[in-house]
Amino acid sequence: MDENPYIFLKNNLFLQFLIADRYRIYRHITACVSLLLFFLITKEWGAYKGFVDHLDWIERCMIITLAFYLNLYVLIPRFLFRGKFVTYVFSLVGVLLICQVITYYLNTVVWREYVISEDLKKAMALPIPTLFIFSLLSLLPFIMLSTLIKIFQLWIKNTEKMQELEQQATKSELQALRSQIQPHFLFNMLNSINTLLYIDPEKASYTLTKLSDFLRHLLYQSHEERVFLSSELRFLSDFLSLEAMRRDDFTYEITYNEKNIQGIQLPPNILLILTENAVKHSIDTLAPTYIYMKCEQKEGWLHFSVYNSVPLQPNPQQKFSGIGLTNLRRRLELLYDDRFKLLQEALPQEYIVTLVLQL
């Protein structure tokens, strides 16, 4: 049986060393020590007089380390990963040019009188463009290495995130099926419809249509990667209308402008989880209950708020674990990273949950 790629990434120490934040300091130490050893091994000792012979390799080490980390943590994240390829190229060329100017100035001006190696003297006599080209060729492997490391880190993290997202989606789907198509829910609805057939056949027909729409949405649209917001809101309306059949003194309202949300898409069942949470925690057999929702799009952000009544006398048997919202928050982190807000506000007689998503 093939190993799950997600488990493989989690258990592979080498890959975790390259991407995990807890190993960051060790990665830096490894990189610096490797560069230091490289220059100590490849250094042509005795090329300069006295202490300048040490300053030469220290300067080369510092220049290459500077270019390496500037490319790794500044140029690639700010330009290359944001699609600004031309800006990245020009910025990289500028950094390399500055490094070449510093190296050329130190070797041919500041330390020139300390040179004792005949080979180095011949090299310094070469034209400036030739010196720049040779110096650039010595920098390029380190620049290419830092770029490959950063791209590989991004690929591994994206792969890890996608695997976790698939697992989370599977768990969410199973949880949705368990919580939404529960046998007692269907049993109660069918019993209500059976009773209405004798009392109010027209209302029974209406309820049966709503139940059909509700089940059709769960069976088909829940498997899509993205669904239209307008479709989700109509589904929530059907869901609450069915809930109203089971309760006395229950009112609900969903407020939105069709033109304002036209064409907006989002992952399925995100809003349903908020609605289920409101339904679950608004049940009160002693007083009227309500659920009000408001949905609008503002400057590229979707704002969805749910207001529900709070029972006058909390039921001690009711579990307020908040697992649904916790799972929702984790799913949103995987889907939207830091481009969302999930806010909760508990008032004495009302509970408010607001979800804000960047479109």
Side-chain angles (χ1 to χ4, degrees), residues 89-104:
V89 171
F90 277 102
S91 299
L92 181 59
V93 170
V95 169
L96 294 178
L97 183 61
I98 292 173
C99 292
Q100 300 309 306
V101 170
I102 295 174
T103 300
Y104 177 80

Side-chain angles (χ1 to χ4, degrees), residues 57-183:
W57 70 265
I58 293 174
E59 171 265 329
R60 289 172 57 202
C61 185
M62 292 180 63
I63 287 293
I64 290 181
T65 302
L66 177 64
F68 183 90
Y69 278 104
L70 274 177
N71 186 50
L72 191 68
Y73 288 108
V74 179
L75 302 184
I76 295 177
R78 290 191 179 183
F79 304 123
L80 187 60
F81 284 173
R82 296 182 181 180
K84 302 176 182 179
F85 181 74
V86 176
T87 306
Y88 168 74
V89 171
F90 277 102
S91 299
L92 181 59
V93 170
V95 169
L96 294 178
L97 183 61
I98 292 173
C99 292
Q100 300 309 306
V101 170
I102 295 174
T103 300
Y104 177 80
Y105 179 77
L106 290 175
N107 284 277
T108 61
V109 178
V110 179
W111 300 334
R112 189 179 187 90
E113 60 182 290
Y114 297 96
V115 176
I116 58 177
S117 170
E118 294 299 327
D119 292 337
L120 187 56
K121 290 180 179 179
K122 291 179 181 179
M124 288 183 176
L126 293 173
I128 293 178
T130 304
L131 289 175
F132 270 57
I133 291 174
F134 280 119
S135 183
L136 180 63
L137 290 176
S138 67
L139 273 175
L140 280 180
F142 299 96
I143 296 299
M144 293 174 62
L145 178 62
S146 64
T147 303
L148 289 174
I149 289 174
K150 200 65 176 179
I151 292 175
F152 183 70
Q153 284 181 337
L154 180 67
W155 177 76
I156 290 294
K157 287 184 177 181
N158 285 343
T159 302
E160 190 177 47
K161 182 179 288 187
M162 288 302 299
Q163 292 292 336
E164 188 175 353
L165 183 58
E166 289 177 5
Q167 287 193 343
Q168 182 72 15
T170 301
K171 290 180 181 178
S172 297
E173 182 177 349
L174 291 175
Q175 182 183 5
L177 291 174
R178 286 195 295 268
S179 62
Q180 294 156 15
I181 316 182
Q182 294 182 28

Side-chain angles (χ1 to χ4, degrees), residues 342-356:
L342 185 59
L343 310 174
Q344 304 174 58
E345 183 179 4
L347 302 177
Q349 297 181 346
E350 188 175 61
Y351 194 77
I352 306 171
V353 179
T354 300
L355 173 63
V356 183

Side-chain angles (χ1 to χ4, degrees), residues 333-348:
E333 288 174 352
L334 293 170
L335 289 168
Y336 290 91
D337 198 14
D338 59 349
R339 296 175 290 109
F340 82 95
K341 295 179 182 179
L342 185 59
L343 310 174
Q344 304 174 58
E345 183 179 4
L347 302 177

